[in-house]
Amino acid sequence: MDTTPSTPVTHDDHDEEGKTTTEEKAAPAPTGTAAPSDAPEDAVPDSPDEDVPESDPYDEAEAAASTGAGAGAAAVVSAGLGVVSLSGAWTGRVAAERETLIGQIQTSSGGSAAQQISEIYGDAWHTTALVNGLFALLALLVGVFVLLRPAFGTPSAHPQPGWIRSVARAGIALGTLGVLISLGMYFDLFLSMPSAG
């Protein structure tokens, strides 16, 4: 009969094994790993690009058209004034006829031939040159304003169309030519006054 006492199993061994297993389960996650986020996906902030509204091509085209409308109209006016200064305006004819009538009235009671030429013909001629010169000067000023306008004030996002610059340059050229012709007419550089003798 074997009388060797068997080793009794104590509760301490089970407790140590249970503690070891519990400690392994409760061990914290290694550092460097991201903890799972409980925040919903909708809470992620939007990127800055999503806040910028998209540009509408129709709005841009409308802004460009409205920007060039005034400049285009002014350029056309400049060219028109230049043509009028060269061809003669009805206002110049009316003013010339008025000066002719005044000269006839002043010389009706008598006067020398030189005085009649000066009062009836010369004053009307000079008045026509003066009126045409005013139209030419306006054409020149409006054309210069159209070309220099983009350099002043708030800069526009849309460049000035090429046809506007071309028409404005034409108005400047016609206005300059009209001013020169008017000066020549007024100071009798092209045609001298008729002589009485």
Side-chain angles (χ1 to χ4, degrees), residues 6-17:
S6 62
T7 305
V9 178
T10 60
H11 294 289
D12 294 338
D13 295 338
H14 290 292
D15 292 341
E16 290 178 0
E17 291 178 0

Side-chain angles (χ1 to χ4, degrees), residues 91-181:
T91 53
R93 289 193 297 270
V94 169
E97 291 175 359
R98 181 179 180 275
E99 290 296 327
T100 300
L101 180 60
I102 292 174
Q104 290 174 352
I105 294 172
Q106 290 178 351
T107 58
S108 62
S109 60
S112 63
Q115 184 181 2
Q116 290 180 359
I117 292 172
S118 176
E119 295 291 337
I120 297 173
Y121 176 77
D123 290 349
W125 177 262
H126 293 159
T127 301
T128 302
L130 182 62
V131 172
N132 291 343
L134 291 177
F135 277 98
L137 184 61
L138 283 176
L140 181 61
L141 293 178
V142 173
V144 170
F145 172 78
V146 172
L147 288 183
L148 296 182
R149 174 64 182 86
F152 300 97
T154 305
S156 176
H158 307 281
Q160 194 177 61
W163 71 268
I164 295 179
R165 294 192 296 271
S166 299
V167 175
R169 290 190 183 102
I172 292 174
L174 293 174
T176 304
L177 185 60
V179 168
L180 294 177
I181 293 175

Side-chain angles (χ1 to χ4, degrees), residues 60-79:
E60 292 180 358
E62 184 177 356
S66 62
T67 301
V76 172
V77 168
S78 174

Side-chain angles (χ1 to χ4, degrees), residues 17-40:
E17 291 178 0
K19 288 181 181 178
T20 304
T21 305
T22 305
E23 289 176 357
E24 289 178 356
K25 290 181 180 180
T31 58
T33 58
S37 176
D38 296 336

